Amino acid sequence: MSLQEYLDKHMLSRKIEDAVNAAVRAKTSEPVLFISNHMKKAVPATITKIKARQILDSRGIPTVEVDLYTNKGMHRASVPSGASAGMYEAVELRDGDKGKYLGKGVSKAINVINEKISQALVGMEPLLQSQIDQAMIDLDKTENKAELGANAMLAVSIAACKAGAAEKEVPLYKHIADLSGKSSTILPVPAITVINGGKHAGNNLAAQEIMILPVGASNFEEAMQMGSETYHHLKTIISEKYGSNGCNVGDDGGLAPNISSISEGLDLVIEAIDRAGYIGRIKLAIDVAATNFCIGKKYDLDFKSPNKSGQNFKTGDDMIEMYTQLCSEYPLVSVEQPFDKDDWEHTKLFTTLGLCQVVGDDLLMSNHKRIERAINEYACNALLLKVNQVGTVTEAIEVVKQAKDAHWGVMISHRCGETEDSFIADLAVGLAAAQIKAGAPCRGERLAKYNQLLRIEEELGSEAVYAGDNWRSP
């Protein structure tokens, strides 16, 4: 083929002329770079290859990472995992081979991506997020993603979302806002973990997390300053009262003193807030994770103390009384998973008291059918979104819309097994969720999310809006 024939076949003469004319109109001082970018934009991005690998999460447990290639670049995503999987959430695909990683390997999920998902998606445009996600859902054919695995599907979905943002040459949070039909973005109030308990720490505290919400900050940067200072004052207080061993941290980076009651932990946090000078500007939240210590229809607050377990059982009514007292004695504005995943009755009774935000975690499992039931029964008034419980970006956007339409609060959440991927930071901003739970101001995988939010706020400049006092209804 001659040079002229090649130019004619691909209509290059016309395309180059158009690019040169555009450079002239723009009066660019870098014509070669301008022409190169102009011609690159003229060709739509398409997925050319998807390559998956097994990496380790923050607990040293295998998880999935994906490199999604287009004809314009490569985009990487990895997925988190929880300490336990609920029966109502999308299913992780794991190997089950006890001889490798104690059965937690994800080579099956890796093979699914490299052999099945890649074949189905190559050639698709990353801008078509809903079509990409639907293609994987159709390929899976199960209600809970048991065939392909939610971990495999989500890694690809997030990587495609990042590729879509790159193709539009906009920040990831802006692309997510566009996908959800939002015209504005909001910097969320961070629910910062300061004390860990439950299954996330080796102390005797039954509740899983005590968190602080810097609602009185003027912006996200100040919120993180308030959270960090309070955390370090708390570390000093715990060291003074319990010794340096009390400053060991749990899975989420929260301090883990050997306390046994929520009120004891809240007292420590209030003292830290006071020392930091933020009384009145920081509110408290707890993640009880009560499913972990529900036995039958009762709750064992001493489930982590073998010599005491069974001596401190509480009924659902007893738990409501305890939460009511805590809300009256402390600036406690949010209680997550106060009862068992199937204890709809007491969750509803507590919610109707109107004492605080009641966040559904195990109760909902980010499952749209469970959310619909909770809305109809007024069983809680806030969604905890864990994207790996859903399985795709499109479905995550849909359940957030479902919650917002019901005038619920929305808290975007990390998992105890995290990676360095900061996707949920952009997700929280793009969906205007107003709340994000990413752990303590400690440990790299947690700070990856908070630091990304600091960057986003800086990038937005005068257009940045911090949720602050409007954290429940932005």
Side-chain angles (χ1 to χ4, degrees):
M1 183 184 294
S2 69
L3 174 61
Q4 189 59 50
E5 288 173 334
Y6 186 84
L7 290 172
D8 291 343
K9 178 181 179 181
H10 297 286
M11 295 183 292
L12 289 178
S13 297
R14 176 63 182 273
K15 291 175 182 177
I16 292 171
E17 183 179 351
D18 288 344
V20 171
N21 286 333
V24 172
R25 288 193 300 270
K27 298 179 180 178
T28 177
S29 61
E30 295 287 347
V32 174
L33 181 61
F34 183 94
I35 291 168
S36 173
N37 289 334
H38 183 87
M39 296 188 72
K40 189 176 181 181
K41 289 178 184 177
V43 180
T46 56
I47 298 172
T48 57
K49 183 174 73 171
I50 302 174
K51 170 69 175 175
R53 67 179 60 85
Q54 178 173 279
I55 63 170
L56 299 182
D57 69 18
S58 58
R59 301 166 300 164
I61 293 174
T63 190
V64 177
E65 182 175 82
V66 160
D67 291 346
L68 183 144
Y69 293 82
T70 71
N71 51 339
K72 298 184 179 182
M74 185 273 283
H75 307 275
R76 178 171 292 163
S78 55
V79 296
S81 180
S84 57
M87 64 180 71
Y88 305 112
E89 67 180 272
V91 176
E92 286 183 327
L93 188 61
R94 293 197 180 269
D95 299 344
D97 180 358
K98 297 296 183 181
K100 292 183 179 179
Y101 288 108
L102 307 179
K104 295 289 188 179
V106 291
S107 61
K108 288 182 179 179
I110 301 304
N111 291 336
V112 161
I113 295 169
N114 291 339
E115 297 170 11
K116 293 183 179 180
I117 294 178
S118 180
Q119 184 177 4
L121 300 188
V122 165
M124 294 188 72
E125 296 181 21
L127 283 174
L128 305 177
Q129 184 73 44
S130 62
Q131 293 182 28
I132 288 170
D133 291 341
Q134 190 60 52
M136 290 190 287
I137 291 169
D138 293 343
L139 187 63
D140 178 85
K141 296 186 180 67
T142 68
E143 187 173 351
N144 61 355
K145 300 177 175 60
E147 180 68 24
L148 300 183
N151 47 349
M153 293 171 69
L154 181 62
V156 174
S157 183
I158 292 175
C161 191
K162 292 179 179 181
E167 173 64 1
K168 288 163 63 176
E169 296 186 346
V170 299
L172 181 55
Y173 61 85
K174 178 65 170 63
H175 179 51
I176 292 169
D178 291 343
L179 291 173
S180 66
K182 297 286 182 185
S183 58
S184 59
T185 55
I186 293 177
L187 272 297
V189 170
I192 299 171
T193 305
V194 289
I195 291 181
N196 266 137
K199 286 188 173 182
H200 290 189
N203 55 11
N204 291 325
L205 181 64
Q208 193 159 276
E209 292 175 79
I210 296 177
M211 296 166 281
I212 55 174
L213 280 66
V215 298
S218 58
N219 53 43
F220 187 81
E221 182 181 10
E222 185 183 23
M224 288 310 301
Q225 177 187 335
M226 293 166 67
S228 176
E229 290 174 0
T230 301
Y231 180 84
H232 287 289
H233 279 293
L234 178 61
K235 190 172 184 179
T236 299
I237 291 166
I238 289 172
S239 181
E240 292 170 355
K241 296 186 176 183
Y242 301 90
S244 58
N245 286 344
C247 295
N248 292 334
V249 300
D251 286 345
D252 309 314
L255 301 164
N258 198 23
I259 56 178
S260 56
S261 72
I262 297 174
S263 58
E264 188 177 356
L266 293 175
D267 285 337
L268 291 169
V269 177
I270 288 293
E271 185 177 347
I273 293 171
D274 188 26
R275 284 197 191 183
Y278 296 126
I279 289 291
R281 298 180 64 196
I282 291 179
K283 302 299 183 182
L284 302 180
I286 56 174
D287 173 11
V288 185
T291 300
N292 292 335
F293 54 88
C294 180
I295 301 174
K297 292 188 176 182
K298 292 188 177 182
Y299 298 88
D300 183 6
L301 293 177
D302 287 327
F303 83 105
K304 295 171 72 177
S305 305
N307 57 328
K308 291 183 180 179
S309 187
Q311 299 176 30
N312 192 16
F313 275 122
K314 289 189 180 292
T315 64
D317 290 340
D318 293 335
M319 296 290 279
I320 289 178
E321 184 178 343
M322 180 184 74
Y323 298 137
T324 300
Q325 184 174 352
L326 290 173
C327 287
S328 68
E329 293 179 358
Y330 301 94
L332 184 60
V333 296
S334 181
V335 177
E336 179 185 331
Q337 201 54 43
F339 302 95
D340 179 63
K341 66 183 185 301
D342 291 316
D343 194 344
W344 293 84
E345 176 190 357
H346 288 101
T347 309
K348 179 179 178 180
L349 287 172
F350 180 51
T351 301
T352 54
L353 294 177
L355 298 174
C356 64
Q357 173 178 263
V358 181
V359 185
D361 179 11
D362 298 338
L363 184 81
L364 305 176
M365 292 291 178
S366 304
N367 180 299
H368 73 97
K369 291 182 179 179
R370 305 274 292 184
I371 295 169
E372 182 178 7
R373 177 181 173 183
I375 290 169
N376 292 336
E377 296 184 16
Y378 196 65
C380 59
N381 54 31
L383 165 69
L384 189 79
L385 175 67
K386 296 174 176 176
V387 287
N388 75 308
Q389 290 182 335
V390 184
T392 66
V393 172
T394 300
E395 289 167 293
I397 291 171
E398 288 170 352
V399 296
V400 168
K401 184 179 186 301
Q402 186 181 10
K404 282 179 169 285
D405 286 347
H407 306 291
W408 278 15
V410 175
M411 183 180 287
I412 307 297
S413 178
H414 65 160
R415 301 306 307 266
C416 68
E418 263 298 338
T419 73
E420 304 94 332
D421 197 318
S422 62
F423 176 76
I424 63 169
D426 286 83
L427 185 69
V429 175
L431 297 183
Q435 302 175 56
I436 187 168
K437 175 181 175 181
C442 164
R443 297 181 52 147
E445 75 281 356
R446 316 293 154 182
L447 291 169
K449 285 70 170 170
Y450 293 135
N451 288 339
Q452 174 65 0
L453 287 164
L454 290 171
R455 297 183 197 105
I456 292 172
E457 183 171 65
E458 179 183 74
E459 183 175 273
L460 287 170
S462 61
E463 296 180 6
V465 176
Y466 175 62
D469 289 329
N470 297 318
W471 59 281
R472 288 188 66 183
S473 54

